[in-house]
Amino acid sequence: MLSRLTRPQAVAVCALPVVALVATALFAPLPFALAQPGMTANVLGDNKGTPVITISGADVRPTSGQLRMTTIEATGPDTHVSLGDVFDSWFRTDRAVMPHDAVYPSGQSDKEIEQHNVEQMRESQDAASEAALGYLKLSDKTVKVTLKLADVGGPSAGLLFSLGVVDKLDGDGNGGDLTGGRTIAGTGTIDADGTVGAVGGVALKTQAAKRDGATVFLVPKAECSDAKAELPKGLRLIPVTSLNGAVSALRALESGKGTVPSC
C-alpha cells in the first residue's frame, strides 16, 4: 500500500536530484584554465642575478629606462577548475577564463608541455637576436648575443628581446636611449625578419605592466581591441607589426617628432 506524500514532502523529494545536480556542476572539473597578470622582467637588466642580454663582439652602451617583457600566470594543466571558480573569475577584470586546450595542448604531459614552452622560448630568442642584428646590419659571425630569462617559456617575449638588443647596441640612433628613460612594457612574438605576431592574454599583460611601473605598452596591432578592453588608466598603447615599426614609434615618442601610432 502506497502512502500519499504531503506537498512539502513531495517538493523536498523532487528537490533532492536538483540539489545534487547543482552541487555536481559547482564542483565538477571543467575544461578551462584560469589566468591572471604574471611577472614582468626588464630585458635591459638582470633576472635572478643574471643579465638577460649579454653581447660580445660589439660595443655595448649603458642604458637608462626599462623594457619590460610581460607574462600571464595560468593554473596548471592538472588543476581542478570548478564552475564556482569560473563564475568568480568571469566577473573580475584581473582574471580570465580560457579554454584549457588553448593554454595546454591536449594529450601532453606536464613534462612535455614544459619542454614545448622551453623550446618555443629558445626559438624566440634565436629569432629575436637575428631580427635585431639584421635591423642593425650587423653579422652574427662577429656579434654574439646571449639571452637568458629564468622560469619563463613560450615565444611572447621576442619583440622585447629584439628591442633590448637594439637599445644596448644603438639606442635611438642619435646617442640617446630607445626608451627615452621611460619604463616601457610590451609583448609580441617576432620572426627573424622582424615581423611581430600576436600572443594572447594582452588584457592581463597590460595590468602586469601598469603594476610594475610602465607608462607605455607595445602591443601587436592585431590585438589592439583586446588590449583596450581592460586598459589600466595612464598606460599608453602603441600598436606594432614589425621591429622596424616599433623602433620608429619609440624614437618618435622620445623626440616628439613624427607620428606615434595608437590603437
Side-chain angles (χ1 to χ4, degrees):
M1 180 177 181
L2 298 175
S3 61
R4 185 184 294 259
L5 294 176
T6 66
R7 183 179 179 82
Q9 288 174 327
V11 171
V13 170
C14 292
L16 286 175
V18 176
V19 171
L21 286 172
V22 171
T24 300
L26 283 172
F27 298 105
L30 296 174
F32 295 110
L34 307 180
Q36 64 184 15
M39 56 82 75
T40 73
N42 176 25
V43 301
L44 296 175
D46 293 352
N47 176 247
K48 295 190 174 181
T50 301
V52 177
I53 300 174
T54 303
I55 302 172
S56 60
D59 292 335
V60 176
R61 57 184 301 279
T63 60
S64 65
Q66 299 183 21
L67 286 169
R68 302 197 75 88
M69 56 78 64
T70 55
T71 67
I72 61 172
E73 185 177 301
T75 50
D78 296 324
T79 300
H80 177 109
V81 176
S82 69
L83 184 60
D85 297 325
V86 171
F87 276 136
D88 177 61
S89 298
W90 195 270
F91 296 100
R92 294 178 58 171
T93 59
D94 62 343
R95 297 288 189 275
V97 180
M98 306 172 72
H100 187 278
D101 288 350
V103 182
Y104 301 108
S106 59
Q108 292 189 349
S109 67
D110 289 3
K111 185 175 182 180
E112 288 172 330
I113 291 170
E114 182 180 357
Q115 289 175 337
H116 174 72
N117 287 338
V118 169
E119 178 62 19
Q120 280 193 317
M121 171 61 87
R122 186 193 65 76
E123 292 175 355
S124 173
Q125 291 172 335
D126 290 345
S129 298
E130 189 173 346
L133 293 179
Y135 171 81
L136 295 171
K137 295 180 172 54
L138 295 173
S139 171
D140 59 5
K141 294 181 180 179
T142 55
V143 180
K144 182 179 179 182
V145 177
T146 302
L147 302 170
K148 291 184 179 180
L149 191 58
D151 303 326
V152 178
S156 66
L159 171 62
L160 273 294
F161 283 144
S162 287
L163 289 172
V165 174
V166 171
D167 199 15
K168 282 181 171 289
L169 289 174
D170 193 51
D172 66 355
N174 295 302
D177 292 303
L178 191 58
T179 63
R182 298 175 177 86
T183 296
I184 293 171
T187 191
T189 66
I190 200 160
D191 293 338
D193 65 1
T195 301
V196 174
V199 291
V202 293
L204 296 177
K205 291 179 179 180
T206 58
Q207 294 181 51
K210 179 63 176 178
R211 179 199 66 207
D212 291 353
T215 57
V216 175
F217 191 90
L218 301 173
V219 60
K221 187 176 181 179
E223 296 181 290
C224 265
S225 60
D226 291 342
K228 290 168 65 175
E230 301 292 346
L231 186 65
K233 185 177 181 180
L235 187 64
R236 179 176 183 173
L237 290 178
I238 297 180
V240 296
T241 59
S242 67
L243 176 59
N244 184 73
V247 173
S248 295
L250 292 180
R251 285 178 172 174
L253 183 67
E254 181 204 2
S255 67
K257 300 176 182 178
T259 301
V260 180
S262 62
C263 288

